[in-house]
Amino acid sequence: MFDTLVTWFQANKRDLPWRHTKDPYKIWVSEIMLQQTRVDTVIDYYIRFLQKFPTVQALANADEQAVLLQWQGLGYYSRARNLHRGAKKVVADFGGQFPQDLNDALSITGVGHYTAGAILSIAYGLPFAAVDGNVLRVFTRIFDIADDIADPKTVKKMQLLVTENIVHANASDYTEGLMELGATVCIPSQPLCLICPMQGVCKAYLLGNWMERPQKTMKVKPQKVKMVFCRIQAEGKLLLVHNPDSGLLAGMWAFCGAVLTHNALDCAKEIVSELGLNIMQVKKVGHARHVFTHLDWDMAVFDCFVQKALPIERPHAWVHLEEVAQYPLPKVYQKVLALEYYC
Ligand code: ADE
């Protein structure tokens, strides 16, 4: 039934850099980058990342900060950290070759069923399914499945259905064909049914109910939180702190900040004095906003000048202003950094 999809994919696929290789490491990098990030954004990052770390060995031997720097701006930094850890495991436990066994693949940090299925099918042509949001949409439409895709049981059921329909002669193009169809034809609203290779077998097309597929319970909106951040400065340097290894933006460089509890200026002064630093001057710089998956931060930003660039208790660095770009700052703090400086 899906032979048509494979043929359609071969004739219509977009020319994307990871489609010129069957190297499992490169496919792995692309799949991790493509989680939660659009294809257009990923392309440049993918090319630069592989220039810097062309092999799994090169990545395994790299310094974590260098890996995070290549990831800067892509967001969801745990992906980069896991990829790095995973590369070390592939070198240490699998002789530098991404494993072909599903359980071995799943033992790698950051590799779940979707990623394992994608790598094993795309790189090795093995009959494993890779079910992401696009594929769920394609399958719930073709088979007119009304189950709620927010329910893990539905996802399990869909994984079986996608597996049952694998085109064994070309599992690689089957996987990528499904992704491509979901990304370019079977799109969420206004799907291009008239040019769809699956039109003849698509139940939702036949019934005209494609707009009700997939069924999904409402997502919770990101919670709005007011924050205060301080760009603490002394002797021409800026204070960056290093986040702990768990929690939001784990292991990333950050500005000192806190949830706004009362007056923003007072909060800023408290943030600085709690670090044991001596405030000389505090000036409001402006606001920045950043939306994470679950949080929507409205950030009041202050320039806080302190007497000396003294060491503080938590992991930190006093960084010359012109060297800040060398630190892998997540997008949220790049926004804080980008606000004009008070002189
Ligand atoms: N999204 C996830 N994997 C992809 C791939 N291999 N090509 C295009 N988009 C994708």
Side-chain angles (χ1 to χ4, degrees):
M1 177 170 170
F2 284 85
D3 291 350
T4 344
L5 173 83
V6 167
T7 315
W8 169 84
F9 175 68
Q10 289 165 349
N12 294 282
K13 63 182 169 189
R14 288 168 294 173
D15 183 14
L16 301 172
W18 47 90
R19 292 183 175 164
H20 292 273
T21 181
K22 289 285 172 200
D23 177 343
Y25 164 64
K26 293 178 181 170
I27 304 288
W28 180 16
V29 171
S30 74
E31 289 302 334
I32 298 296
M33 286 189 170
L34 285 159
Q35 287 166 17
Q36 283 119 350
T37 311
R38 293 175 43 239
V39 166
D40 294 351
T41 310
V42 166
I43 292 175
D44 285 348
Y45 279 93
Y46 172 82
I47 293 169
R48 269 188 275 127
F49 194 90
L50 288 178
Q51 274 166 357
K52 185 88 181 165
F53 312 114
T55 61
V56 71
Q57 286 81 6
L59 181 59
N61 292 333
D63 182 62
E64 183 174 278
Q65 291 303 304
V67 178
L68 290 172
L69 197 59
Q70 289 304 312
W71 210 270
Q72 185 176 331
L74 263 184
Y76 303 98
Y77 295 89
S78 58
R79 292 184 296 173
R81 234 177 275 110
N82 287 338
L83 182 60
H84 187 213
R85 270 189 222 137
K88 285 181 199 271
K89 185 172 172 77
V90 166
V91 169
D93 298 351
F94 300 113
Q97 188 67 19
F98 193 92
Q100 301 202 16
D101 176 82
L102 181 64
N103 287 323
D104 285 347
L106 291 171
S107 74
I108 296 167
T109 336
V111 177
H113 275 276
Y114 166 78
T115 312
I119 300 168
L120 297 186
S121 61
I122 298 173
Y124 295 129
L126 294 169
F128 291 103
V131 178
D132 66 356
N134 280 345
V135 176
L136 284 174
R137 185 170 59 255
V138 169
F139 264 73
T140 52
R141 284 178 176 167
I142 294 177
F143 292 92
D144 187 34
I145 290 166
D147 304 359
D148 178 7
I149 58 158
D151 181 348
K153 276 196 228 123
T154 309
V155 178
K156 279 250 157 68
K157 174 174 156 179
M158 303 307 292
Q159 270 161 349
L160 286 177
L161 194 58
V162 178
T163 309
E164 273 169 28
N165 282 282
I166 288 175
V167 176
H168 285 261
N170 199 336
S172 171
D173 285 355
Y174 171 76
T175 293
E176 278 214 278
L178 286 175
M179 292 172 179
E180 193 73 350
L181 194 73
T184 63
V185 175
C186 195
I187 49 183
S189 50
Q190 317 273 350
L192 312 176
C193 301
L194 294 182
I195 60 156
C196 180
M198 302 308 287
Q199 192 204 92
V201 292
C202 180
K203 290 199 176 150
Y205 177 73
L206 189 73
L207 298 167
N209 67 352
W210 50 263
M211 61 288 204
E212 285 137 42
R213 301 285 175 266
Q215 290 284 326
K216 191 174 185 184
T217 42
M218 281 301 285
K219 255 212 294 199
V220 198
K221 267 200 184 163
Q223 187 195 351
K224 284 186 190 293
V225 183
K226 286 191 189 299
M227 301 290 296
V228 181
F229 280 99
C230 299
R231 302 191 307 195
I232 301 171
Q233 294 157 70
E235 304 164 28
K237 293 177 202 161
L238 190 60
L239 178 64
L240 294 180
V241 286
H242 199 247
N243 280 341
D245 279 338
S246 60
L248 186 68
L249 300 167
M252 301 301 299
W253 289 99
F255 285 103
C256 293
V259 174
L260 184 138
T261 46
H262 48 292
N263 171 287
L265 180 66
D266 290 341
C267 282
K269 287 179 183 165
E270 283 163 23
I271 288 167
V272 179
S273 49
E274 274 167 21
L275 294 169
L277 298 169
N278 227 336
I279 313 175
M280 300 196 311
Q281 197 179 19
V282 181
K283 281 274 168 190
K284 174 107 184 246
V285 202
H287 277 262
R289 181 169 175 221
H290 191 80
V291 184
F292 300 94
T293 318
H294 301 295
L295 293 170
D296 180 348
W297 276 4
D298 172 14
M299 300 172 280
V301 180
F302 291 83
D303 269 344
C304 307
F305 295 89
V306 298
Q307 219 165 17
K308 277 188 147 263
L310 293 174
I312 59 167
E313 244 172 56
R314 57 183 289 198
H316 69 285
W318 280 101
V319 184
H320 279 288
L321 285 179
E322 58 282 8
E323 286 168 9
V324 176
Q326 289 164 25
Y327 282 73
L329 269 189
K331 212 165 227 167
V332 53
Y333 296 124
Q334 284 178 37
K335 290 179 186 174
V336 170
L337 183 69
L339 291 174
E340 207 159 294
Y341 271 80
Y342 170 76
C343 298

